[in-house]
Each structure stands twice: as structure tokens, then as C-alpha cells.
Amino acid sequence: MMASFDEATDGFYHWLVSSARIEISPKIFVGDLRSVNQGRCVLASQDIGSDEVLFEIPRSSVLNVATSQLVRDFPQLKDVFWQELGHWEGLILCMVYEIKVMGQQSFWWNYLQVLPKSQDLNTLVYWSADQLAALEPSLVVGRLGADESQEMYRQILKYIQNFGPEFQSKIGQLTFEEFVHVASVIMSYSFDVDLKGEDDEDDEDEDEGEEEEGESNVAHDKYMKSMVPLADTLNADTKQFNAHLVYDKESLKMVSVKPIKMGQQVYNFYGEHPNAEILRRYGYVEWDGSQFDFGELPLSCITQVLQREAPEEFFQICLQLLQNDETILEHLDQEQIVLESYDCFIDGQVIPECLLLLQVLTVILQIPNVGENLERELQRVVKKCLQLVESGRLTIKCLKLFEHCIDERLRQYPNHSFREVTPIHQYVHDVDVQRGIMAQRVLQSEVESLQNCYLSLGEKFQVIDDVKLMDNILKKRVAPAQKTKNESKRKRTH
């Protein structure tokens, strides 16, 4: 029989103190904020000052490939988990083993009972096609990684088979639904825990040069993807966070980073993510917007606007040269400025790759008879425009092009994206309604970011007349030809 919410919380808290040996400050407690769609949380029972340890977790009570019963039962697999398996594959298999094989005998059983079930998760992998459609035109829908999930699932099934018949018989059949659930919980709740205190410095020279490019595992990366009981009970907020996790040699400590008043929630920080990414990874949104919100300007929007000025084929050639020409790449320190999309942040900042691309294309359009000299002209223009953008300057036409591109992008959003969303202040039983409101908040975050960049770019850069820049570029372009003409005259007069 499944325990009730309160029973599961009580069992979890008892396990934290008695079995996991986690030292918890009397100034905090595990609260219930389901009434406002925030589930379990950590609240302050007393005023808390800065730099106070809220709880301390022994590394032995953190669930990962070093502590799981799987590696204890199959010690011959330890090196495989440490040196061969990726972080995700390793932790997924360990959690599956604790849930399916160990069950109630698992050391982490009471902890596993408070992790969300599939029906409680709002991460985008659980959204229906109709629910995902409410997020259009946000590009976050294209980052669900469905193909990658299928490939990881197939890889894990191969590992199970390769680990031998005894391992297979214990694990049994791992369905795709079980895999997705565990992977989703890991995405929402795991931490990357540094291997502090590990005596591996002497091995660095031996391993150097032997690791394959792109290799990612515990031995290579010196951290373990881990489930950290109680630390993952904290909700997170990019603006209100007041605590963070500190890694010591023998333990992990949650430490306050600012004063917390009695009754206030203790918030962690999950990273510099916009609302769209918070929803994809963790299944919630920040109703007042993330501090790191941004909208995305797709390359397709830029090319669509530019096609009003010149044929599409011309710009496709330009983009190919910008991506592949060695001289251009040398100017750019081998960095690409042709990207699938460009981030436009809530504070009005635009990534420099976007502005440099627009400035280059603006200039190349103004060069007469570029024709067969396009490659050479682009090389010169990139160098000149790079100097311009790095000095904090843009031309009037570049700024206008940016504004037209933002206009084009904003027209793709539905009308409700431009209206303020009413936050969900009480539990919503209808999943479609709940997810629809969250989708609207994501779109509002993106629209606000794009609008802020539209309004403030001209204030963040010194805007100069195109004539001044073009005179400089065309002057250098014409000079060699003029010299050749004068030399010809001299030859004819002799």
C-alpha cells in the first residue's frame, strides 16, 4: 500500500536523521506547499543568518555509482561504471537497481518514496503533442532530445545484456517508460558532485593522452552525477535563492548565502536558465520571470528579412563562406558566428555573434558589384566589422536590420504571449490548464526579452552612420585598382 504524502514525508525525515546520519539545523523543517503547486520544500522555523550550515550530508548517504548496492553486489562492474559508462547511464542503472531489485531493502527506500512518480512530473518529456503545441514558437520544443533518449535506452539495454545473465535476471525487463521516469527524476533532482579528497593527482600524468576526445565518465571528469537527499527537497529560484551546496571531503553542506526570515522558504540555485529551460528540465516556471530569461532569434528569421534586399542564394553563399573560409575563421579565432539561433536576454543584451553577423551582412549588401570577389570582400568586411562591434559600435542600417528581424520573430508569437500571465496561486487539478498557463509564461518571458533587446540595443551601442564605415571600406577596396589605372596611363605615355 502506497504511503500518504505526510506519511512518506515523516518516513523520509526519520530516515534522514537515523539512518542517513544527516545533521539538520533546528532552524529548518520540511514543509508542504502543494497548495501553491510547489510540493515539498524546506522552510525556516527561526531566523537564519548568512553562512549558516542548514544541514550536512555524509558522502556515504549520497546515491551514485560509488555508493549504490549495484556495485557492491557486482564489484567486478566498478571499473566499468567508473571508466566506461557515461554519467547518465551509470546513475540510471544504479537507481533502477535500487528501485526494482532492492525495493524496500534499499538503504535509500524512504528517500525514493518522496521522489515524484511519473504522473507528478511536468518536465516536457511528459507533455502531449497538443500541450507542446502551446509552447510554439519557442525553440525549446526542439530540445526535447527524443532521439537521444531512445539511443540511451538502447545503450542501457545493451549494458544490461553485457553484464551477464545473473545481472539480467535481477534487473528483469526495463521498459522504456521506467527508463524515462528514472531519467526524468535524475534530470530534475540530481547534482554533479565533485570528487573532492580523491587521491587521483598521481594518475593524471598516466592518463594524459590516452582518453578519447569527447569521453565523459567519472574517471575522466572527476565528478559523479548523484542524488542528494534533502538537498533536492529545496525548490530553486534564480532571484530568491538564499542557499547553496558546498562540497567538503567527507560531506556536503547546504549553507545559507543571505539572511532568511522565519517562515520564508529556503531556495537553492539550479543554474543560469531561462524559464523555457527551467520548464524543460525541472517542470515548473518562475512566475515573475527568470533572471536569465532570453528569447531566441532564429537564423531563419534573419534570412527571411534579408531576402527582401537580395536573393536567398546570395545569402546562402555568404553564410557558407562565413562558416568555412579559413581566413575568416582566423579573424574570428575559429569561432562560428553563423548559428541556428541567437540569444536575446531579458536585460537587453544580445550575444555578439548575432550583431557581428548582421553588421557583416549589412555591409556586404552595400558594396557595389561584389560579384566574383565575394570571398575576398567578406574576409575584409569581417575583419573591419569585428573591430567595430568589439569597440561598442554599430551602423544605423545594422540596427534597423536587427529591429526588422526582431519584428519578424515577434510576429510568430500568439497574441496571448504579449499579455501578463496570472500566476497559479492554488493547486490546479486540470493538467491541461496547468501546463497551458506555464506555456504562456514561457512565451511571455521570451517576448519580454526580445522586446527589451529591441528597445535598448541602440542605447548599449554607439550608433554611427553607414556612410562613414562604407567610405573607409570602399576606399581601401578601390585604392589598388586606382593605382593600376594610373600605372597604365604612365605606360601609355612613354
Side-chain angles (χ1 to χ4, degrees):
M1 183 176 176
M2 185 178 295
S4 69
F5 186 93
D6 291 335
E7 288 172 338
T9 301
D10 291 343
F12 171 56
Y13 197 86
H14 177 74
W15 172 82
L16 290 172
V17 177
S18 62
S19 300
R21 296 178 293 111
I22 295 176
E23 297 180 12
I24 305 175
S25 166
K27 294 185 178 183
I28 64 168
F29 67 98
V30 177
D32 178 2
L33 287 182
R34 284 176 295 167
S35 60
V36 289
N37 285 288
Q38 293 194 38
R40 288 183 185 86
C41 64
V42 173
L43 297 168
S45 56
Q46 305 174 34
D47 288 349
I48 299 170
S50 261
D51 300 319
E52 288 195 37
V53 177
L54 306 180
F55 52 84
E56 183 173 358
I57 309 168
R59 282 181 177 261
S60 57
S61 295
V62 173
L63 175 54
N64 53 40
V65 299
T67 59
S68 170
Q69 190 64 36
L70 185 157
V71 176
R72 293 173 184 169
D73 289 348
F74 296 88
Q76 70 274 20
L77 296 178
K78 180 178 179 180
D79 288 343
V80 175
F81 276 76
W82 199 268
Q83 299 179 358
E84 296 180 23
L85 266 66
H87 297 281
W88 283 86
E89 292 87 345
L91 185 54
I92 287 171
L93 282 168
C94 288
M95 284 192 65
V96 167
Y97 194 86
E98 297 294 336
I99 295 168
K100 289 174 65 76
V101 179
M102 298 304 299
Q104 294 186 35
Q105 303 304 311
S106 169
F107 172 73
W108 287 277
W109 180 252
N110 290 101
Y111 166 54
L112 295 172
Q113 297 314 292
V114 298
L115 292 174
K117 306 300 184 284
S118 297
Q119 63 269 22
D120 301 321
L121 287 165
N122 267 323
T123 48
L124 292 186
V125 69
Y126 285 104
W127 287 37
S128 68
D130 287 342
Q131 291 164 349
L132 288 173
L135 282 164
E136 295 177 356
S138 174
L139 301 187
V140 70
V141 179
R143 290 194 285 269
L144 292 184
D147 292 341
E148 292 83 352
S149 294
Q150 289 284 352
E151 177 56 34
M152 183 180 291
Y153 175 60
R154 287 191 290 269
Q155 191 62 46
I156 285 177
L157 293 182
K158 286 182 184 178
Y159 285 130
I160 292 173
Q161 185 176 10
N162 293 338
F163 289 165
E166 183 184 357
F167 186 86
Q168 282 182 269
S169 65
K170 284 199 171 189
I171 287 284
Q173 182 184 9
L174 176 65
T175 67
F176 184 68
E177 289 71 23
E178 290 172 328
F179 159 78
V180 169
H181 173 238
V182 173
S184 298
V185 169
I186 290 173
M187 174 177 281
S188 298
Y189 287 84
S190 67
F191 293 75
D192 292 338
V193 178
D194 293 341
L195 301 183
K196 290 195 175 180
E198 294 291 336
D199 187 19
D200 51 24
E201 293 182 4
D202 295 337
D203 299 331
E204 289 184 1
D205 292 336
E206 294 179 20
D207 295 340
E208 190 173 355
E210 297 178 6
E211 297 158 351
E212 295 181 6
E213 186 178 353
E215 183 180 9
S216 182
N217 51 50
V218 174
H220 176 270
D221 298 330
K222 309 303 180 188
Y223 73 82
M224 285 185 285
K225 189 166 286 295
S226 306
M227 301 298 293
V228 185
L230 190 55
D232 58 15
T233 307
L234 273 67
N235 289 317
D237 193 285
T238 60
K239 296 175 181 176
Q240 301 183 73
F241 73 94
N242 47 28
H244 71 149
L245 198 60
V246 176
Y247 305 130
D248 284 347
K249 182 175 180 179
E250 300 297 335
S251 66
L252 283 64
K253 299 176 182 177
M254 187 64 71
V255 181
S256 59
V257 297
K258 61 181 72 169
I260 306 170
K261 293 293 184 182
M262 182 178 68
Q264 286 186 337
Q265 188 171 173
V266 182
Y267 286 106
N268 198 355
F269 180 71
Y270 288 170
E272 298 182 358
H273 302 306
N275 251 338
E277 193 64 12
I278 290 172
L279 180 58
R280 184 184 77 85
R281 290 169 178 254
Y282 309 114
Y284 72 95
V285 296
E286 295 184 9
W287 294 111
D288 60 346
S290 165
Q291 182 180 345
F292 305 100
D293 269 331
F294 61 78
E296 295 179 85
L297 177 62
L299 181 63
S300 58
C301 268
I302 296 174
T303 55
Q304 191 167 347
V305 171
L306 286 170
Q307 284 172 34
R308 302 166 191 166
E309 305 294 330
E312 179 184 0
E313 295 77 10
F314 173 77
F315 291 110
Q316 291 304 323
I317 295 171
C318 288
L319 296 178
Q320 289 172 11
L321 288 171
L322 291 171
Q323 288 175 294
N324 302 311
D325 184 81
E326 284 302 323
T327 301
I328 290 174
L329 290 174
E330 284 179 15
H331 293 329
L332 300 173
D333 290 331
Q334 304 303 316
E335 297 289 335
Q336 286 287 346
I337 63 170
V338 180
L339 310 176
E340 290 186 6
S341 64
Y342 300 88
D343 300 342
C344 301
F345 291 91
I346 191 71
D347 63 358
Q349 299 288 339
V350 181
I351 61 170
E353 292 87 348
C354 176
L355 303 178
L356 181 54
L357 176 69
L358 294 180
Q359 187 63 76
V360 167
L361 295 177
T362 300
V363 170
I364 207 70
L365 274 173
Q366 297 179 72
I367 297 179
N369 304 318
V370 70
E372 296 179 356
N373 297 321
L374 180 58
E375 181 175 358
R376 183 170 60 84
E377 295 291 357
L378 266 176
Q379 293 169 354
R380 294 174 53 254
V381 168
V382 166
K383 185 175 182 180
K384 189 65 182 177
C385 290
L386 181 61
Q387 296 170 351
L388 190 76
V389 173
E390 287 182 339
S391 68
R393 293 177 294 166
L394 295 173
T395 66
I396 294 172
K397 288 190 176 181
C398 177
L399 181 60
K400 289 297 182 185
L401 174 58
F402 176 77
E403 292 173 350
H404 291 324
C405 291
I406 295 294
D407 280 336
E408 185 71 32
R409 176 59 169 158
L410 288 172
R411 277 197 288 270
Q412 297 176 353
Y413 285 82
N415 290 335
H416 63 72
S417 308
F418 298 82
R419 296 194 294 268
E420 188 172 343
V421 178
T422 302
I424 300 177
H425 288 307
Q426 58 186 15
Y427 185 73
V428 177
H429 292 275
D430 191 316
V431 174
D432 282 337
V433 171
Q434 183 186 38
R435 292 178 179 176
I437 297 172
M438 289 195 291
Q440 187 179 347
R441 174 64 254 199
V442 166
L443 298 187
Q444 182 191 344
S445 290
E446 295 186 355
V447 164
E448 287 177 347
S449 300
L450 292 165
Q451 289 175 327
N452 287 354
C453 290
Y454 180 99
L455 294 171
S456 66
L457 187 63
E459 299 171 0
K460 294 179 182 299
F461 281 78
Q462 178 187 352
V463 182
I464 65 172
D465 198 305
D466 287 73
V467 174
K468 183 177 180 181
L469 176 64
M470 294 309 300
D471 282 349
N472 186 290
I473 289 175
L474 294 175
K475 187 179 191 179
K476 292 182 179 179
R477 177 176 180 250
V478 171
Q482 184 65 43
K483 181 179 178 182
T484 302
K485 185 177 178 181
N486 290 338
E487 286 177 349
S488 298
K489 285 183 178 179
R490 283 197 297 269
K491 286 179 182 177
R492 284 197 296 270
T493 57
H494 284 301

